[in-house]
Short mmCIF file of all heavy atoms in Angstrom, two decimals:
data_model
loop_
_atom_site.label_atom_id
_atom_site.label_comp_id
_atom_site.label_asym_id
_atom_site.label_seq_id
_atom_site.Cartn_x
_atom_site.Cartn_y
_atom_site.Cartn_z
N LEU A 97 227.44 194.30 186.55
CA LEU A 97 226.90 195.16 185.47
C LEU A 97 225.80 196.08 186.00
O LEU A 97 225.66 197.20 185.51
CB LEU A 97 226.41 194.29 184.34
CG LEU A 97 227.48 193.61 183.48
CD1 LEU A 97 226.85 192.67 182.46
CD2 LEU A 97 228.39 194.59 182.82
N SER A 98 225.02 195.61 186.94
CA SER A 98 223.96 196.45 187.50
C SER A 98 224.53 197.61 188.32
O SER A 98 223.87 198.62 188.47
CB SER A 98 223.01 195.61 188.37
OG SER A 98 223.60 195.23 189.57
N GLN A 99 225.76 197.46 188.82
CA GLN A 99 226.41 198.51 189.62
C GLN A 99 227.54 199.20 188.89
O GLN A 99 228.29 199.98 189.47
CB GLN A 99 226.90 197.92 190.94
CG GLN A 99 225.83 197.28 191.77
CD GLN A 99 224.74 198.29 192.14
OE1 GLN A 99 225.03 199.36 192.61
NE2 GLN A 99 223.50 197.90 191.91
N ARG A 100 227.70 198.90 187.64
CA ARG A 100 228.84 199.40 186.86
C ARG A 100 228.96 200.93 186.86
O ARG A 100 230.03 201.48 187.02
CB ARG A 100 228.72 198.89 185.41
CG ARG A 100 229.90 199.29 184.54
CD ARG A 100 229.83 198.62 183.18
NE ARG A 100 230.96 199.02 182.41
CZ ARG A 100 230.94 199.95 181.47
NH1 ARG A 100 229.81 200.56 181.17
NH2 ARG A 100 232.06 200.29 180.82
N ALA A 101 227.85 201.60 186.71
CA ALA A 101 227.86 203.06 186.71
C ALA A 101 228.42 203.61 187.99
O ALA A 101 229.10 204.64 188.03
CB ALA A 101 226.47 203.62 186.44
N TYR A 102 228.15 202.94 189.09
CA TYR A 102 228.66 203.35 190.41
C TYR A 102 230.20 203.19 190.48
O TYR A 102 230.89 204.05 190.96
CB TYR A 102 228.01 202.56 191.54
CG TYR A 102 228.56 202.91 192.89
CD1 TYR A 102 228.18 204.09 193.51
CD2 TYR A 102 229.49 202.10 193.50
CE1 TYR A 102 228.70 204.46 194.75
CE2 TYR A 102 230.07 202.44 194.72
CZ TYR A 102 229.65 203.61 195.35
OH TYR A 102 230.18 203.93 196.57
N PHE A 103 230.68 202.06 189.95
CA PHE A 103 232.12 201.77 190.05
C PHE A 103 232.96 202.65 189.12
O PHE A 103 234.10 202.97 189.47
CB PHE A 103 232.39 200.30 189.70
CG PHE A 103 231.94 199.33 190.75
CD1 PHE A 103 231.13 198.27 190.46
CD2 PHE A 103 232.35 199.48 192.08
CE1 PHE A 103 230.74 197.36 191.40
CE2 PHE A 103 231.96 198.60 193.04
CZ PHE A 103 231.13 197.53 192.72
N LEU A 104 232.47 203.01 187.99
CA LEU A 104 233.28 203.76 187.04
C LEU A 104 233.59 205.16 187.59
O LEU A 104 232.74 205.84 188.08
CB LEU A 104 232.51 203.94 185.69
CG LEU A 104 232.38 202.65 184.88
CD1 LEU A 104 231.53 202.90 183.62
CD2 LEU A 104 233.73 202.08 184.48
N GLY A 105 234.88 205.48 187.52
CA GLY A 105 235.34 206.77 188.01
C GLY A 105 235.61 206.81 189.50
O GLY A 105 236.02 207.87 190.01
N ARG A 106 235.38 205.74 190.21
CA ARG A 106 235.65 205.70 191.65
C ARG A 106 237.10 205.33 191.90
O ARG A 106 237.80 204.78 191.02
CB ARG A 106 234.75 204.66 192.34
CG ARG A 106 233.30 204.88 192.18
CD ARG A 106 232.84 205.91 193.16
NE ARG A 106 231.38 206.05 192.95
CZ ARG A 106 230.66 206.99 193.48
NH1 ARG A 106 231.23 207.87 194.24
NH2 ARG A 106 229.39 207.06 193.23
N GLU A 107 237.55 205.62 193.12
CA GLU A 107 238.86 205.23 193.53
C GLU A 107 238.97 203.69 193.52
O GLU A 107 237.97 203.00 193.72
CB GLU A 107 239.18 205.73 194.92
CG GLU A 107 239.37 207.23 195.03
CD GLU A 107 239.73 207.61 196.47
OE1 GLU A 107 240.36 206.81 197.17
OE2 GLU A 107 239.36 208.72 196.84
N GLN A 108 240.16 203.16 193.32
CA GLN A 108 240.35 201.73 193.31
C GLN A 108 239.98 201.07 194.63
O GLN A 108 239.56 199.93 194.66
CB GLN A 108 241.79 201.38 192.93
CG GLN A 108 242.07 201.61 191.44
CD GLN A 108 241.11 200.85 190.59
OE1 GLN A 108 240.93 199.64 190.73
NE2 GLN A 108 240.45 201.54 189.68
N LYS A 109 240.07 201.84 195.75
CA LYS A 109 239.66 201.28 197.06
C LYS A 109 238.18 200.93 197.03
O LYS A 109 237.79 199.89 197.55
CB LYS A 109 239.97 202.26 198.17
CG LYS A 109 241.40 202.45 198.48
CD LYS A 109 241.59 203.35 199.68
CE LYS A 109 241.28 204.78 199.26
NZ LYS A 109 241.60 205.78 200.29
N VAL A 110 237.41 201.74 196.41
CA VAL A 110 235.93 201.55 196.34
C VAL A 110 235.64 200.33 195.50
O VAL A 110 234.81 199.45 195.85
CB VAL A 110 235.21 202.78 195.81
CG1 VAL A 110 233.74 202.50 195.61
CG2 VAL A 110 235.43 203.96 196.73
N VAL A 111 236.33 200.19 194.36
CA VAL A 111 236.14 199.03 193.49
C VAL A 111 236.59 197.78 194.21
O VAL A 111 235.95 196.72 194.09
CB VAL A 111 236.91 199.23 192.15
CG1 VAL A 111 236.74 198.03 191.25
CG2 VAL A 111 236.40 200.49 191.46
N TRP A 112 237.67 197.85 194.96
CA TRP A 112 238.16 196.70 195.70
C TRP A 112 237.14 196.28 196.74
O TRP A 112 236.92 195.06 196.91
CB TRP A 112 239.49 197.08 196.37
CG TRP A 112 240.26 195.98 197.00
CD1 TRP A 112 240.14 194.63 196.74
CD2 TRP A 112 241.27 196.07 197.99
NE1 TRP A 112 241.02 193.91 197.53
CE2 TRP A 112 241.72 194.79 198.29
CE3 TRP A 112 241.85 197.17 198.66
CZ2 TRP A 112 242.74 194.52 199.21
CZ3 TRP A 112 242.86 196.90 199.55
CH2 TRP A 112 243.28 195.61 199.86
N ILE A 113 236.52 197.18 197.42
CA ILE A 113 235.47 196.82 198.39
C ILE A 113 234.30 196.17 197.66
O ILE A 113 233.75 195.20 198.13
CB ILE A 113 235.02 198.10 199.17
CG1 ILE A 113 236.14 198.55 200.10
CG2 ILE A 113 233.72 197.81 199.96
CD1 ILE A 113 235.92 199.93 200.72
N GLY A 114 233.97 196.70 196.48
CA GLY A 114 232.91 196.08 195.64
C GLY A 114 233.29 194.64 195.28
O GLY A 114 232.45 193.74 195.31
N PHE A 115 234.55 194.44 194.94
CA PHE A 115 235.02 193.11 194.62
C PHE A 115 234.95 192.19 195.83
O PHE A 115 234.54 191.04 195.72
CB PHE A 115 236.48 193.13 194.08
CG PHE A 115 236.99 191.77 193.79
CD1 PHE A 115 236.52 191.02 192.74
CD2 PHE A 115 237.93 191.21 194.62
CE1 PHE A 115 237.01 189.74 192.48
CE2 PHE A 115 238.46 189.92 194.40
CZ PHE A 115 237.96 189.20 193.33
N ALA A 116 235.30 192.71 196.98
CA ALA A 116 235.22 191.91 198.21
C ALA A 116 233.78 191.49 198.47
O ALA A 116 233.52 190.35 198.84
CB ALA A 116 235.79 192.70 199.38
N LEU A 117 232.83 192.40 198.28
CA LEU A 117 231.42 192.05 198.45
C LEU A 117 230.96 191.03 197.45
O LEU A 117 230.27 190.06 197.78
CB LEU A 117 230.57 193.31 198.42
CG LEU A 117 230.76 194.31 199.57
CD1 LEU A 117 230.01 195.58 199.30
CD2 LEU A 117 230.34 193.66 200.89
N ALA A 118 231.33 191.23 196.19
CA ALA A 118 230.96 190.31 195.12
C ALA A 118 231.56 188.93 195.35
O ALA A 118 230.90 187.87 195.16
CB ALA A 118 231.37 190.84 193.75
N SER A 119 232.81 188.91 195.81
CA SER A 119 233.46 187.62 196.12
C SER A 119 232.79 186.90 197.29
O SER A 119 232.65 185.69 197.26
CB SER A 119 234.94 187.85 196.47
OG SER A 119 235.63 188.38 195.36
N SER A 120 232.42 187.67 198.29
CA SER A 120 231.72 187.09 199.43
C SER A 120 230.40 186.46 199.00
O SER A 120 230.05 185.36 199.45
CB SER A 120 231.53 188.16 200.49
OG SER A 120 232.76 188.64 200.93
N LEU A 121 229.69 187.17 198.16
CA LEU A 121 228.39 186.62 197.66
C LEU A 121 228.67 185.34 196.84
O LEU A 121 227.92 184.36 197.01
CB LEU A 121 227.67 187.64 196.80
CG LEU A 121 226.36 187.17 196.23
CD1 LEU A 121 225.36 186.86 197.33
CD2 LEU A 121 225.78 188.25 195.31
N ALA A 122 229.69 185.37 195.98
CA ALA A 122 230.02 184.15 195.21
C ALA A 122 230.37 183.01 196.15
O ALA A 122 229.92 181.88 195.92
CB ALA A 122 231.22 184.48 194.30
N GLY A 123 231.11 183.30 197.24
CA GLY A 123 231.45 182.26 198.20
C GLY A 123 230.22 181.70 198.89
O GLY A 123 230.12 180.47 199.11
N ILE A 124 229.31 182.55 199.22
CA ILE A 124 228.08 182.09 199.89
C ILE A 124 227.27 181.20 198.95
O ILE A 124 226.77 180.15 199.37
CB ILE A 124 227.22 183.30 200.38
CG1 ILE A 124 227.95 183.97 201.55
CG2 ILE A 124 225.83 182.86 200.77
CD1 ILE A 124 227.35 185.31 201.95
N ILE A 125 227.17 181.59 197.69
CA ILE A 125 226.47 180.76 196.69
C ILE A 125 227.15 179.40 196.59
O ILE A 125 226.48 178.35 196.61
CB ILE A 125 226.43 181.47 195.30
CG1 ILE A 125 225.52 182.71 195.41
CG2 ILE A 125 225.91 180.51 194.24
CD1 ILE A 125 225.61 183.61 194.18
N LEU A 126 228.48 179.38 196.46
CA LEU A 126 229.22 178.14 196.34
C LEU A 126 228.96 177.25 197.57
O LEU A 126 228.70 176.07 197.46
CB LEU A 126 230.73 178.39 196.21
CG LEU A 126 231.18 178.90 194.87
CD1 LEU A 126 232.60 179.43 195.01
CD2 LEU A 126 231.16 177.76 193.87
N TRP A 127 229.08 177.83 198.74
CA TRP A 127 228.90 177.07 199.97
C TRP A 127 227.51 176.52 200.08
O TRP A 127 227.31 175.36 200.44
CB TRP A 127 229.28 177.96 201.17
CG TRP A 127 229.06 177.29 202.47
CD1 TRP A 127 229.87 176.37 203.07
CD2 TRP A 127 227.92 177.46 203.35
NE1 TRP A 127 229.31 175.99 204.27
CE2 TRP A 127 228.12 176.65 204.47
CE3 TRP A 127 226.80 178.24 203.33
CZ2 TRP A 127 227.23 176.58 205.52
CZ3 TRP A 127 225.89 178.22 204.36
CH2 TRP A 127 226.14 177.37 205.44
N LEU A 128 226.51 177.34 199.78
CA LEU A 128 225.13 176.88 199.87
C LEU A 128 224.83 175.72 198.92
O LEU A 128 224.25 174.71 199.31
CB LEU A 128 224.14 178.02 199.59
CG LEU A 128 223.90 179.00 200.73
CD1 LEU A 128 223.06 180.18 200.24
CD2 LEU A 128 223.24 178.29 201.92
N VAL A 129 225.27 175.88 197.69
CA VAL A 129 225.01 174.82 196.70
C VAL A 129 225.73 173.53 197.07
O VAL A 129 225.12 172.45 197.06
CB VAL A 129 225.41 175.29 195.27
CG1 VAL A 129 225.41 174.12 194.29
CG2 VAL A 129 224.51 176.40 194.79
N MET A 130 226.98 173.63 197.46
CA MET A 130 227.73 172.42 197.82
C MET A 130 227.17 171.79 199.09
O MET A 130 227.12 170.55 199.20
CB MET A 130 229.21 172.77 197.99
CG MET A 130 229.89 173.16 196.70
SD MET A 130 229.71 171.99 195.35
CE MET A 130 230.74 170.63 195.96
N SER A 131 226.72 172.59 200.04
CA SER A 131 226.10 172.05 201.26
C SER A 131 224.78 171.36 200.93
O SER A 131 224.49 170.29 201.44
CB SER A 131 225.86 173.17 202.28
OG SER A 131 227.06 173.67 202.79
N LEU A 132 223.99 171.98 200.05
CA LEU A 132 222.72 171.35 199.64
C LEU A 132 222.98 170.03 198.90
O LEU A 132 222.27 169.05 199.11
CB LEU A 132 221.91 172.31 198.74
CG LEU A 132 221.23 173.45 199.44
CD1 LEU A 132 220.65 174.45 198.46
CD2 LEU A 132 220.17 172.96 200.41
N MET A 133 223.99 170.02 198.08
CA MET A 133 224.30 168.81 197.33
C MET A 133 224.81 167.67 198.20
O MET A 133 224.58 166.50 197.94
CB MET A 133 225.31 169.10 196.20
CG MET A 133 224.70 169.94 195.08
SD MET A 133 225.90 170.25 193.78
CE MET A 133 225.97 168.65 193.02
N SER A 134 225.54 168.02 199.26
CA SER A 134 226.09 167.01 200.13
C SER A 134 225.14 166.65 201.26
O SER A 134 225.33 165.61 201.94
CB SER A 134 227.43 167.46 200.70
OG SER A 134 227.24 168.56 201.57
N GLY A 135 224.14 167.48 201.52
CA GLY A 135 223.15 167.15 202.54
C GLY A 135 223.58 167.57 203.93
O GLY A 135 222.88 167.28 204.90
N VAL A 136 224.74 168.17 204.10
CA VAL A 136 225.20 168.67 205.40
C VAL A 136 225.81 170.05 205.20
O VAL A 136 226.22 170.42 204.15
CB VAL A 136 226.26 167.73 206.01
CG1 VAL A 136 225.71 166.39 206.35
CG2 VAL A 136 227.49 167.60 205.13
N LEU A 137 225.85 170.83 206.30
CA LEU A 137 226.52 172.10 206.22
C LEU A 137 228.00 171.91 206.21
O LEU A 137 228.59 171.37 207.19
CB LEU A 137 226.12 172.99 207.43
CG LEU A 137 224.66 173.49 207.43
CD1 LEU A 137 224.37 174.27 208.72
CD2 LEU A 137 224.37 174.29 206.19
N LEU A 138 228.64 172.25 205.17
CA LEU A 138 230.08 172.06 205.00
C LEU A 138 230.83 173.15 205.74
O LEU A 138 230.37 174.27 205.91
CB LEU A 138 230.44 172.09 203.50
CG LEU A 138 229.82 171.01 202.66
CD1 LEU A 138 230.13 171.26 201.18
CD2 LEU A 138 230.34 169.64 203.07
N PRO A 139 232.06 172.84 206.19
CA PRO A 139 232.87 173.88 206.84
C PRO A 139 233.24 174.97 205.82
O PRO A 139 233.49 174.66 204.65
CB PRO A 139 234.08 173.13 207.36
CG PRO A 139 234.08 171.82 206.68
CD PRO A 139 232.71 171.56 206.20
N MET A 140 233.30 176.18 206.28
CA MET A 140 233.55 177.30 205.38
C MET A 140 235.01 177.75 205.38
O MET A 140 235.41 178.62 204.64
CB MET A 140 232.67 178.49 205.72
CG MET A 140 231.22 178.30 205.38
SD MET A 140 230.29 179.82 205.58
CE MET A 140 230.83 180.74 204.16
N THR A 141 235.82 177.18 206.25
CA THR A 141 237.18 177.67 206.50
C THR A 141 238.03 177.73 205.21
O THR A 141 238.58 178.79 204.91
CB THR A 141 237.89 176.83 207.56
OG1 THR A 141 237.03 176.74 208.70
CG2 THR A 141 239.20 177.44 207.94
#
Side-chain angles (χ1 to χ4, degrees):
L97 289 175
S98 72
Q99 300 302 310
R100 182 173 181 260
Y102 177 78
F103 288 127
L104 290 176
R106 301 278 181 192
E107 290 183 30
Q108 286 304 306
K109 290 185 286 189
V110 174
V111 178
W112 189 21
I113 291 168
F115 176 72
L117 292 172
S119 297
S120 299
L121 179 63
I124 290 169
I125 292 169
L126 285 165
W127 177 77
L128 282 173
V129 169
M130 293 305 290
S131 291
L132 286 171
M133 289 181 73
S134 66
V136 296
L137 290 178
L138 298 173
M140 290 189 74
T141 309

